[in-house]
Every structure is written in C-alpha cells, then in structure tokens.
Amino acid sequence: MKFHVNRDVFSEAVSFVVKLLPQRNPQPILAGVLIEASDEGLSLAAFDYEASARTLIEATVDEPGTILVHGRLLSDIASRLPNAPIQIQQDDDGIVLTCGSARFTLASMPVQEYPAIPEVSGDAGLVPGDDFSTAISQVAFAASRDDVTPVLTGVQLEVKGTELSLVATDRYRVALRDVQWDGGGVAGDETATALVPARTLTEVGKTFAHSGDIQVTFSGSGDREIIAFTAGNRTVTSLLIKGNFPPVRRLFPEQTDHYAVVNTAELAEAVRRVSLVLDRSAPLRFTFTGEGVSMDASGTEHARATESVDATLTGEEVTLGLNPQYLLEALTAVKSEFTRITFTSSENSNKLSPVLITPQTSGTPESFRYLLQPNLLLR
C-alpha cells in the first residue's frame, strides 16, 4: 500500500473516526483504525462492536491495500505534522509516514482479526443537521449516567409522520424535543423507535452540527439492531440499547394557567450565585409571587444566600424546592430569552407535582419541553 494525501484532510478524517472509541478498550485490536486505499480514494474506519465511524477522503493511491494501525497514536501524530503533503507506505514492519522532514514508522496490527464494519441498510429519512444537533444538546444531558439501568442511559428516538422526537430521562427529569423529519422509507402511519446511547448521540450532534441534512437509517434486526447517521462522506453507526423505554410522555401535563415567566439569563445567573452555599444535591427553595421569584439557600451553619429576580406570575403564589443543577441545565437548553415555568397539580396531595419548563414564545407550538420533579418515575 502506498498513497499521498493532504495533511489537513487526513488529520481531520483520523480524528473523526477515533472520536467514538473508548479511551481504554479491553481488546487491543479495537484500538486500531482500518485504512483502505483503493481507486475510490482512502477509507478510514473504527469500530468497537457498539459504535463505528467511517469516512472516505480523496487521496492519490499509488498502490492499493489495507492496513490497521493504532488510532489515537495516528491521530496525535497527524495533528502535529508540518504543513506538507503526507505519504504513507507499507513495509514489512508496518507503515512509514513521511511529511516534509518528519518520518514515523508505526507497527501494524493484524487486519484479519479486526471485526467487519457494520453494513447499513433499511428505512431512512432526513433531518436538518443544525436542528438535530441542537435537539441532541437539549435532551441528551437528561439521560442517566448510571449503568445499573441501561435503558435510561440512552436517548429514545421516535419517528412518526413528519416528526422525529428525542426523549431522555434519569427518573428525576424528562427532556423532550421534536424536529422535522422527511420520512423517506418510514411510512406515515408507522412508528419507528431507536434507543441510542446518549454518549454516542452527543458525539453525532457535535460532528454533524453543520453538515446540512443528516440521513438517519434504522438498520439490522434482533440483537444487532443499529442506527446509522450519514452526512456527506461520513457515517456513524451505533448498536441500539435493548429494553423498553419508560412511557414518560404520559407524564407531561395538559396546558395549565398556573405559570410564571422569567428572564432566562437573569434566573440562571441568580441560581448559580445562590446555590454556591448549598451542599451537593441539596434543593434550592423558590417562592413565586406577584412581585417576582425569590431564592433561598440554606447551606451549612456558616452560609446562607437569598436573591430575587423579576417574574410575571399567573395564578396563585407557590413555594417549592428544585435541584439547582437540573434547573440550570434546563435553562441552558431552553435557548430563548424568556422561560415559562408551569406548575402542575396532582390528584394526590401527598405527592409533589412536576414543574414543566418551556421556552416562552408566541404563536408557535413548543418543540422543547422539560419536566422536573424529584423521584419522577418512582410513583
């Protein structure tokens, strides 16, 4: 194998394919990047049995071939090479990478032991890249980080008609965002679902944020169900999480006339300041009145903080405690100047009612909703 390639193009391609690989992999072979040189150009791929990334770039191929080399080392080297074309040539010991006066010899790994990269086929549709990336950032943070309940570590993607919904929960909150879906192979009266690991989906959002339309493909069956995201010459696949995602949509209340509207940035800054005195995970006390919203944080015996910000209240005064970090993440995800905090009611007076957080907009249906309540799903 021998080829010449642009330094920046090659460095970006290697960085892309290794980004999804775990820092520590129990199987050393999975730390490799598979490089295939052919008449079509240069294909680079990485796979760890759960997620894969593949891209095709232009290169001058003198001798076609396939080689497997350590991915993160190659990425580190490629990102620091001088500004000159790269030549990579295979020899008996591995590969020789030359760029300007820099020369590296890297050991190769056995290609025959590397698993086959998943092939993608199945029902597909298109989502706008910018909207999809924003939706992921508004939802994925609400997924659980506790592997004890794997289904809660994912983001549920639900396709129906012309809408793609993203839903995540960790039992204490639920985040939901809808984006436009160009149905493609999914029939209008059908519902397609995929439970995608939140970590993988977050990387997809970052990678494809400015890639135009993204093709989303539901592929595979049985224990090897995967989902694929493709934009341009890049594809990311992810093995789906098996299990039944909880029916959290039923938890969202019908519209209610008991709510407060507050400036998003002002409330966020106040919450950050006041919560400095709180012990970790301690709730922050909020009191909503006709004059605004006041916050009261009682920390240790040596510290206490209070602050108030303007708010417009519709309905009765209300006092409640909320996790300040969960609230701050919601305010970041709202992405509007003003936030509506809706207070819901429960038929059981012994149970706390959830708080619904949405952007305060006029005339357009809300595509983002965030429900916050302690022990939300443990009723």
Side-chain angles (χ1 to χ4, degrees):
M1 181 181 73
K2 182 180 179 181
F3 61 86
H4 298 78
V5 64
N6 177 276
R7 181 202 63 169
D8 293 338
V9 173
F10 184 73
S11 176
E12 186 178 352
V14 178
S15 174
F16 161 69
V17 296
V18 303
K19 196 174 294 183
L20 288 174
L21 293 179
Q23 293 288 342
R24 295 181 180 178
N25 205 310
Q27 300 184 47
I29 194 73
L30 299 181
V33 166
L34 189 68
I35 302 175
E36 299 179 66
S38 67
D39 294 338
E40 297 180 358
L42 200 65
S43 170
L44 296 92
F47 181 40
D48 68 352
Y49 288 113
E50 293 186 359
S52 77
R54 175 188 287 174
T55 185
L56 182 67
I57 60 175
E58 293 183 357
T60 301
V61 177
D62 301 316
E63 299 175 12
T66 303
I67 197 164
L68 184 68
V69 295
H70 193 282
R72 296 199 183 277
L73 177 58
L74 182 62
S75 179
D76 289 343
I77 291 171
S79 66
R80 291 170 173 80
L81 290 173
N83 187 14
I86 294 174
Q87 175 185 290
I88 292 182
Q89 183 172 357
Q90 187 174 3
D91 66 10
D92 294 338
D93 297 324
I95 66 168
V96 177
L97 185 155
T98 306
C99 182
S101 60
R103 178 185 172 91
F104 293 86
T105 300
L106 303 180
S108 61
M109 306 165 76
V111 174
Q112 63 274 15
E113 295 182 13
Y114 198 70
I117 306 296
E119 295 296 328
V120 178
S121 63
D123 294 337
L126 298 176
V127 291
D130 288 344
D131 288 349
F132 190 53
S133 176
T134 300
I136 292 171
S137 70
Q138 290 177 297
V139 170
F141 68 86
S144 175
R145 294 169 178 81
D146 186 354
D147 292 333
V148 173
T149 311
V151 294
L152 299 185
T153 64
V155 176
Q156 175 88 336
L157 272 57
E158 303 173 353
V159 172
K160 188 169 185 180
T162 60
E163 195 169 78
L164 168 64
S165 299
L166 295 83
V167 191
T169 183
D170 62 0
R171 287 196 180 95
Y172 304 102
R173 54 196 174 158
V174 180
L176 169 64
R177 169 69 199 273
D178 301 321
V179 295
Q180 182 182 350
W181 169 264
D182 184 356
V186 180
D189 57 348
E190 294 182 358
T191 300
T193 63
L195 186 54
V196 187
R199 171 184 173 272
T200 303
L201 195 62
T202 298
E203 288 298 335
V204 167
K206 294 176 182 177
T207 300
F208 294 145
H210 307 293
S211 301
D213 286 344
I214 301 172
Q215 178 177 293
V216 182
T217 306
F218 299 85
S219 183
S221 60
D223 292 335
R224 296 300 300 177
E225 283 186 292
I226 65 172
I227 190 169
F229 306 92
T230 302
N233 60 352
R234 295 180 171 185
T235 297
V236 171
T237 71
S238 175
L239 187 67
L240 301 185
I241 299 173
K242 305 298 290 185
N244 296 319
F245 194 74
V248 293
R249 282 182 177 272
R250 63 179 175 80
L251 299 172
F252 285 92
E254 297 294 332
Q255 189 65 28
T256 174
D257 292 329
H258 189 193
Y259 61 88
V261 177
V262 61
N263 182 281
T264 306
E266 290 180 2
L267 180 60
E269 287 301 316
V271 171
R272 288 189 184 97
R273 283 189 291 268
V274 174
S275 61
L276 288 173
V277 304
L278 284 176
D279 294 329
R280 187 176 181 181
S281 76
L284 178 59
R285 181 184 177 92
F286 292 83
T287 301
F288 292 85
T289 69
E291 298 178 354
V293 53
S294 60
M295 287 146 277
D296 188 336
S298 298
T300 65
E301 59 182 11
H302 302 293
R304 181 176 179 178
T306 61
E307 187 168 347
S308 299
V309 296
D310 292 337
T312 302
L313 178 66
T314 300
E316 299 178 354
E317 296 183 0
V318 61
T319 298
L320 71 164
L322 297 173
N323 182 305
Q325 184 57 39
Y326 287 178
L327 178 60
L328 283 172
E329 289 175 333
L331 295 175
T332 301
V334 162
K335 300 187 185 303
S336 68
E337 183 178 2
F338 292 95
T339 295
R340 175 181 289 210
I341 301 175
T342 301
F343 311 103
T344 64
S345 58
S346 171
E347 295 179 357
N348 189 335
S349 59
N350 295 322
K351 293 182 178 179
L352 297 175
S353 300
V355 174
L356 178 64
I357 298 172
T358 57
Q360 173 66 10
T361 56
S362 58
T364 57
E366 300 303 341
S367 61
F368 171 72
R369 288 175 285 166
Y370 180 94
L371 201 61
L372 175 58
Q373 176 183 323
N375 302 323
L376 183 62
L377 300 180
L378 301 182
R379 295 186 176 188

